[in-house]
């Protein structure tokens, strides 16, 4: 079993020491748990890919502890600056052209862009207080192809001894990954709907559109079945068939194995989604009730569509 410790000044200081010396630490964020390594350490970054079983062509997000650090790694233009001022720290990842200075080559999958995020979580301040300012690469702390972890227990189940330490910060409040925007000049496209709903960007970006996973611009990690559980998934289900487990949303007469939100609250549903998919993964098929497309529903439906994608495409 990995060393699991509750978040405290001492455990965060220990985590910083492990990271500085090339180790791997799983850390909670406001979205999901991440598998962290010091982003300037080639060997540590390689260990992240190994531990997850992640293909080397799928780049990693560089996590900074202070918004101002973005300029160290990326060319920050006016639009990026505005979004950072408004949404950071928080669950927004911005893909930008690299600056002259680079993090580990391995993390970037040979792209000329870099994805940057400044998470809103207390351990960043605690690490800064002990003199460690990152940056960290931090993919979701699951085995590649599984759904993201939202508790320390999920991380331990997926990664076991492959991680040197897990900091336990309880259940992640958002439960779904950061929104990923790619900025080119002063235009932006949506690479991954996530914890910040698309309409929140309307004051800054007109007509933000999702770039489909097969388009050349898209993130390799947006392969359609990236988030797939073992069970089959049937979407927009209004009945429960033989052998199925029913994943409900809102009030229902159908006998449900799990309800993402009894009251039909999308934030609660996002928080519960990956836990529910893990819980029901031992059945043949999960029938999922329709989830509205507005607000966080876009990200929830995106992940459910991936979970339901034909397994031959994996
Ligand atoms: O909420 C999150 O973003 C979590 C927490 C731990 O911070 N992290 C996360 O990382 O979801 P990961 O590696 O599981 O997903 C990152 C996504 C992948 O789809 C990857 O392909 C994409 O971001 N990405 C990373 N760098 C990119 C780049 N330069 N261009 C396009 N997409 C990129
Ligand atoms: Mg992931």
């Amino acid at each position: 079993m990995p060393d699991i410790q509750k978040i405290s000044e001492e455990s965060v200081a220990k985590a910083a020491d492990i990271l500085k010396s090339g180790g791997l630490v799983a850390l909670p964020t406001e979205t999901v748990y991440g598998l962290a390594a010091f982003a300037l350490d080639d060997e540590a970054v390689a260990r992240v890919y190994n531990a997850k079983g992640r293909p080397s062509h799928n780049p990693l997000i560089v996590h900074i502890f202070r918004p101002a650090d973005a300029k160290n790694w990326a060319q920050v233009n006016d639009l990026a600056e505005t979004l950072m001022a408004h949404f950071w720290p928080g669950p927004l990842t911005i893909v930008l052209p690299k600056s002259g200075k680079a993090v580990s080559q391995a993390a970037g999958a040979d792209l000329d862009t870099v994805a940057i995020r400044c998470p809103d979580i207390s351990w960043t301040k605690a690490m800064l207080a002990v003199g460690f300012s990152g940056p960290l690469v931090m993919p979701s702390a699951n085995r590649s192809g599984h759904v993201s972890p939202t508790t320390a227990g999920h991380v331990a189940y997926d990664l076991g001894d492959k991680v040197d330490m897990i900091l336990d910060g309880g259940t992640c409040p958002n439960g779904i990954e950061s929104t990923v925007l790619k900025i080119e000049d002063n235009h932006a496209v949506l690479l991954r709907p996530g914890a910040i709903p698309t309409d929140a960007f309307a004051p800054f970006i007109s007509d933000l559109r999702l770039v489909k996973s097969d388009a050349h611009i898209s993130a390799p990690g947006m392969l359609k079945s990236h988030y797939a559980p073992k069970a089959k998934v049937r979407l927009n289900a209004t009945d429960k068939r033989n052998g199925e487990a029913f994943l409900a949303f809102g009030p229902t007469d159908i006998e449900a194995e799990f309800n993402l939100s009894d009251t039909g609250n999308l934030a609660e549903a996002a928080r519960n989604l990956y836990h529910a998919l893990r819980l029901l993964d031992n059945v043949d098929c999960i029938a999922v009730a329709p989830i509205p497309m507005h607000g966080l529903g876009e990200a929830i439906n995106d992940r459910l569509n991936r979970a339901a994608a034909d397994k031959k495409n994996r």
Side-chain angles (χ1 to χ4, degrees):
M1 274 299 283
D3 179 18
I4 305 182
Q5 297 198 20
K6 293 256 178 255
I7 293 226
S8 67
E9 271 175 36
E10 295 74 41
S11 61
V12 173
K14 185 173 171 204
D17 280 342
I18 293 173
L19 290 164
K20 277 190 271 187
S21 54
L24 305 188
V25 179
L27 297 162
T29 77
E30 74 275 54
T31 59
V32 299
Y33 276 73
L35 177 62
F38 183 39
L40 307 185
D41 183 331
D42 292 335
E43 280 175 30
V45 172
R47 287 185 64 205
V48 167
Y49 280 91
N50 270 331
K52 280 184 59 86
R54 181 173 174 117
S56 59
H57 61 265
N58 192 357
L60 303 177
I61 299 173
V62 174
H63 292 67
I64 52 175
F65 297 1
R66 297 169 291 221
D69 289 351
K71 293 203 168 80
N72 293 340
W73 316 108
Q75 297 174 39
V76 179
N77 67 8
D78 289 350
L79 177 56
E81 185 108 45
T82 304
L83 295 173
M84 288 168 183
H86 197 83
F87 293 101
W88 278 3
L92 172 65
T93 296
I94 307 181
V95 176
L96 289 164
K98 280 179 179 159
S99 70
K101 198 168 150 194
V103 297
S104 167
Q105 175 81 9
D110 287 333
L111 298 172
D112 47 18
T113 55
V114 58
I116 313 251
R117 151 157 149 76
C118 184
D120 184 12
I121 191 82
S122 61
W123 55 253
T124 55
K125 281 151 213 94
M127 286 198 188
L128 286 169
V130 294
F132 182 58
S133 57
L136 300 174
V137 290
M138 208 157 48
S140 50
N142 51 281
R143 293 274 310 156
S144 188
H146 288 191
V147 296
S148 293
T150 53
T151 67
H154 295 164
V155 179
Y157 179 83
D158 265 29
L159 298 178
D161 289 333
K162 296 194 168 76
V163 51
D164 297 305
M165 182 185 187
I166 300 175
L167 276 190
D168 184 354
T171 302
C172 298
N174 290 286
I176 205 152
E177 300 86 349
S178 61
T179 303
V180 182
L181 296 185
K182 180 170 182 173
I183 296 184
E184 276 169 338
D185 304 320
N186 272 318
H187 303 288
V189 289
L190 179 63
L191 294 187
R192 177 173 75 182
I196 300 179
T198 305
D199 50 13
F201 300 107
F204 313 100
I205 306 163
S206 57
D207 191 26
L208 183 63
R209 52 186 185 86
L210 179 61
V211 175
K212 291 280 179 230
S213 54
D214 49 359
H216 74 282
I217 194 174
S218 92
M222 299 310 287
L223 297 172
K224 229 181 170 184
S225 58
H226 186 67
Y227 296 90
K230 286 200 281 303
K232 270 190 270 169
V233 176
R234 184 166 69 87
L235 300 179
N236 297 314
T238 49
D239 61 352
K240 177 176 162 177
R241 300 177 188 164
N242 253 349
E244 286 184 338
F246 193 72
L247 183 55
F249 174 76
T252 179
D253 293 334
I254 300 171
E255 195 200 320
E257 272 65 25
F258 196 94
N259 198 324
L260 289 171
S261 168
D262 291 322
T263 59
N265 177 304
L266 287 166
E268 186 182 18
R271 199 155 50 237
N272 285 330
L273 178 67
Y274 289 144
H275 179 65
L277 291 178
R278 282 172 182 267
L279 203 68
L280 302 181
D281 204 18
N282 56 349
V283 300
D284 287 342
C285 182
I286 308 172
V288 190
I291 315 279
M293 264 304 274
H294 60 82
L296 287 169
E298 186 186 4
I300 296 172
N301 279 303
D302 172 81
R303 305 309 188 267
L304 285 170
N305 274 307
R306 288 170 205 289
D310 185 345
K311 300 202 165 163
K312 283 188 301 228
N313 292 335
R314 268 190 205 188

